[in-house]
């Protein structure tokens, strides 16, 4: 099935993943003991998981968006569906975990760390919604073309009385 808007969703998801990578990398770099009373000098695992999600999403988008165009022998439709589904689950889990960790909503004012954390949560849910759409469209396309020819049947010129 030819959907003209799929490449646009891929581009938007890639841009959002780069933005999310920057936001969560900033959170991880600015993290210290007093922030949210976490009690450790390392960044929390929720922030690290969101960094992983961003890098994972860029790799998945490269496979799903570029491999069918330039290396068609390496592309498999069910592998792309599985990667999209796993990425959707990752974004949902990571966004929920980060939202619970950040809490809120807060009146951040001029606190850039607070605003960055809330923006990271928002972009995480945007990316979850984008990958959810990609997964549903890919699943419908896979189910529609499963095991039979998807082209419309051609009219035969057989004699109706025979």
């Amino acid at each position: 099935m030819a959907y003209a808007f799929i490449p646009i969703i891929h581009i938007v998801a890639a841009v959002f993943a780069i933005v999310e990578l920057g936001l969560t990398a900033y959170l991880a770099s600015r993290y210290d003991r007093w922030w949210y009373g976490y009690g450790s000098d390392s960044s929390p695992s929720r922030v690290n998981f969101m960094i992983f999600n961003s890098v994972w999403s860029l790799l998945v988008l490269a496979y799903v968006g570029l491999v069918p165009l330039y290396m068609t022998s390496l592309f498999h439709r069910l592998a792309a569906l599985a990667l999209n589904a796993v990425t959707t689950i990752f974004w949902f889990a990571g966004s929920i975990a980060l939202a619970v960790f950040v809490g809120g909503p807060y009146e951040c004012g001029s606190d850039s760390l607070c605003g960055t954390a809330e923006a990271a949560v928002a972009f995480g849910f945007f990316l979850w919604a984008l990958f959810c759409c990609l997964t549903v469209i890919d699943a419908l396309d896979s189910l529609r073309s499963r095991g039979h020819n998807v082209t419309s049947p051609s009219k035969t010129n057989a004699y109706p009385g025979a």
Side-chain angles (χ1 to χ4, degrees):
M1 197 178 297
Y3 291 113
F5 59 88
I6 296 294
I8 296 170
I9 295 176
H10 287 153
I11 292 168
V12 170
V15 169
F16 279 10
I18 291 170
V19 169
E20 180 73 21
L21 180 62
L23 290 170
T24 52
Y26 176 74
L27 286 176
S29 72
R30 292 286 311 246
Y31 188 81
D32 55 14
R33 183 177 303 243
W34 58 267
W35 190 49
Y36 291 108
Y38 192 66
S40 173
D41 287 333
S42 63
S43 60
S45 59
R46 297 143 187 102
V47 175
N48 295 339
F49 184 65
M50 293 298 273
I51 292 172
F52 165 76
N53 277 349
S54 299
V55 174
W56 171 266
S57 295
L58 291 172
L59 294 173
V60 167
L61 288 169
Y63 178 76
V64 172
L66 297 177
V67 170
L69 297 175
Y70 300 110
M71 296 176 277
T72 56
S73 61
L74 298 177
F75 182 76
H76 194 274
R77 180 183 310 240
L78 292 178
L81 175 62
L83 287 172
N84 278 333
V86 166
T87 307
T88 301
I89 293 168
F90 281 174
W91 277 113
F92 184 71
S95 298
I96 291 290
L98 189 62
V100 168
F101 180 70
V102 170
Y106 298 113
E107 182 61 43
C108 294
S110 63
D111 185 10
S112 66
L113 198 59
C114 174
T116 303
E118 288 182 347
V121 170
F123 273 98
F125 280 112
F126 289 152
L127 279 158
W128 168 72
L130 288 172
F131 276 102
C132 192
C133 289
L134 286 173
T135 302
V136 167
I137 291 169
D138 208 13
L140 289 175
D141 191 37
S142 293
L143 289 174
R144 206 172 268 149
S145 63
R146 181 182 57 159
H148 56 46
N149 193 359
V150 294
T151 60
S152 60
S154 60
K155 258 189 159 178
T156 59
N157 291 330
Y159 180 69

